[in-house]
Amino acid sequence: MIKIKNLSKNYVVKQGIIKAIDGLNLEIEAGEIFGMIGPSGAGKSTLIRMLNLLEQPSSGSININGTDLTELSSSNLRAARQKIGMIFQHFNLLTSRTVLKNVEFPLEIAGVKKNKRRKKAKKLLALVGLADRLDHYPAQLSGGQKQRVGIARALANEPDVLLSDEATSSLDPESTKATLELLAKIRDEMNLTIILITHEMEVIKEVCDRVGVLESGKIIESGSILDIFANPQKDLTKKFISSVIDFELPQRIIKYLHQKRPGKLIRISFLGEKTHAPYISDLVKHYSVDANILYGNIDEIQAVPFGTLILDLEGKLTKIEASIDYLRSQDLRVEVLEDV
């Protein structure tokens, strides 16, 4: 488990002090893939570099599997870092070394004998699907292949934690998907904890178990992927979700909102098996309201259906209110759009 308490990072500039990370608290369970998303300048890269103390915190603690990294001596910190692998946006491969020797490099630094490190590097390259590229150089590889070498190298010292700093940002969509599938496979096979920093909600949606939304050095919202997508609270979270799921209201619905009309306009969010339940027919049958469907969308979040409906409810106000109460009693997220 990773426990981060009151973590801060301040930079002193001519204008004063910049708080890159501001009193951040976070717990990450062992074996989960935790995504951290935020806009440029939110502090994502600073945070991930502090998790292995490449960046020294101004205050606070970072506890990984019972060890507070901020209290370790230099020699003990070097040993602890060997259990924290890291993959980078721009790969950071050694251009003068072959694929095999790139993966061997951290083992060489750790003093592992040549035969043993070669055997291990070959095994890791087979794991990431590059067994046929051992003698190639980085310049001979695609972006996706370079990132696979970076992942294999990060696994060389059998880490407990893998840090991913925008690892898919330089990749095309196909390579991104393959890399995320590989990370999920590695997590399952090696029981790793993975912390994935990104500015792309599609990445979070595809592979993460939980997510934290970072803004101005603080986590403003966090939770399971399904909970965050089904019930986002902050405007920034909604903005990120809208980049992959049509969460924003269509313009024609916004225009409809400003018209004088009876009834209420509501948005219902469905999750899982609830997408198949006959809620609308229940409203018509039991509450004597007309439910006109103005907009609908169904997507999937990690194989779980997620749907949105916008309904125009017409009828007696008391009946409409009762029907909304009924929907909410079914654990559905219901927004009255006039109030949004």
Side-chain angles (χ1 to χ4, degrees), residues 243-254:
S243 67
V244 292
I245 289 179
D246 196 3
F247 189 80
E248 295 296 327
L249 296 177
Q251 282 299 315
R252 63 181 179 83
I253 303 298
I254 293 174

Side-chain angles (χ1 to χ4, degrees), residues 261-331:
R261 54 187 171 69
K264 284 185 178 290
L265 207 65
I266 66 170
R267 174 164 50 192
I268 310 171
S269 297
F270 303 81
L271 193 63
E273 71 280 357
K274 292 183 184 296
T275 56
H276 308 299
Y279 296 117
I280 297 175
S281 62
D282 285 350
L283 294 187
V284 176
K285 288 178 184 177
H286 302 299
Y287 294 92
S288 301
V289 298
D290 290 328
N292 303 312
I293 300 175
L294 301 181
Y295 176 79
N297 182 56
I298 294 181
D299 206 313
E300 281 196 353
I301 304 169
Q302 299 179 10
V304 177
F306 173 76
T308 300
L309 279 180
I310 295 178
L311 304 180
D312 185 13
L313 301 181
E314 294 185 2
K316 290 184 178 180
L317 183 58
T318 54
K319 294 289 188 179
I320 291 174
E321 295 290 353
S323 68
I324 291 174
D325 289 342
Y326 160 72
L327 292 172
R328 287 173 172 157
S329 74
Q330 302 303 305
D331 293 327

Side-chain angles (χ1 to χ4, degrees), residues 50-331:
M50 281 199 290
L51 292 181
N52 57 8
L53 261 63
L54 290 177
E55 193 82 52
Q56 289 290 330
S58 299
S59 61
S61 63
I62 302 165
N63 191 299
I64 298 180
N65 295 334
T67 300
D68 187 346
L69 300 188
T70 61
E71 295 183 349
L72 295 179
S73 64
S74 296
S75 59
N76 288 337
L77 179 58
R78 282 195 294 271
R81 280 180 177 147
Q82 290 185 355
K83 291 300 180 182
I84 306 172
M86 191 162 184
I87 53 178
F88 304 89
Q89 177 181 358
H90 299 297
F91 320 127
N92 290 8
L93 301 181
L94 301 170
T95 58
S96 61
R97 282 181 169 241
T98 64
V99 165
L100 182 63
K101 289 191 176 294
N102 262 281
V103 179
E104 284 186 50
F105 185 64
L107 297 170
E108 186 179 330
I109 296 297
V112 178
K113 291 183 179 180
K114 183 176 181 179
N115 289 341
K116 187 175 181 180
R117 68 177 185 248
R118 178 154 295 194
K119 181 179 179 181
K120 193 168 195 177
K122 286 182 177 179
K123 183 179 178 181
L124 288 170
L125 286 166
L127 174 67
V128 301
L130 291 175
D132 59 342
R133 296 288 191 274
L134 304 184
D135 297 323
H136 285 60
Y137 287 86
Q140 298 172 293
L141 304 178
S142 68
Q145 289 170 332
K146 289 177 184 177
Q147 195 56 280
R148 286 171 176 262
V149 176
I151 292 171
R153 181 184 58 188
L155 298 174
N157 283 313
E158 299 180 9
D160 299 317
V161 176
L162 184 62
L163 307 177
S164 171
D165 187 8
E166 300 276 10
T168 61
S169 295
S170 300
L171 304 180
D172 60 73
E174 185 177 348
S175 296
T176 293
K177 183 175 177 60
T179 299
L180 295 176
E181 289 174 350
L182 177 60
L183 289 176
K185 173 186 173 184
I186 288 168
R187 185 273 301 271
D188 293 340
E189 292 187 6
M190 303 182 72
N191 196 30
L192 282 173
T193 303
I194 299 177
I195 302 173
L196 195 153
I197 297 291
T198 184
H199 64 273
E200 299 172 290
M201 202 64 177
E202 183 67 40
V203 170
I204 299 290
K205 176 189 170 189
E206 287 295 320
V207 75
C208 293
D209 301 306
R210 290 195 301 136
V211 61
V213 182
L214 193 66
E215 184 177 32
S216 301
K218 295 182 178 181
I219 295 177
I220 61 170
E221 189 166 4
S222 65
S224 74
I225 297 302
L226 292 177
D227 287 344
I228 290 294
F229 270 83
N231 191 26
Q233 299 297 309
K234 302 296 184 179
D235 288 342
L236 180 60
T237 310
K238 293 176 183 179
K239 182 179 178 180
F240 277 122
I241 290 173
S242 296
S243 67
V244 292
I245 289 179
D246 196 3
F247 189 80
E248 295 296 327
L249 296 177
Q251 282 299 315
R252 63 181 179 83
I253 303 298
I254 293 174
K255 290 179 181 178
Y256 191 84
L257 269 173
H258 294 98
Q259 297 175 6
K260 289 186 177 180
R261 54 187 171 69
K264 284 185 178 290
L265 207 65
I266 66 170
R267 174 164 50 192
I268 310 171
S269 297
F270 303 81
L271 193 63
E273 71 280 357
K274 292 183 184 296
T275 56
H276 308 299
Y279 296 117
I280 297 175
S281 62
D282 285 350
L283 294 187
V284 176
K285 288 178 184 177
H286 302 299
Y287 294 92
S288 301
V289 298
D290 290 328
N292 303 312
I293 300 175
L294 301 181
Y295 176 79
N297 182 56
I298 294 181
D299 206 313
E300 281 196 353
I301 304 169
Q302 299 179 10
V304 177
F306 173 76
T308 300
L309 279 180
I310 295 178
L311 304 180
D312 185 13
L313 301 181
E314 294 185 2
K316 290 184 178 180
L317 183 58
T318 54
K319 294 289 188 179
I320 291 174
E321 295 290 353
S323 68
I324 291 174
D325 289 342
Y326 160 72
L327 292 172
R328 287 173 172 157
S329 74
Q330 302 303 305
D331 293 327

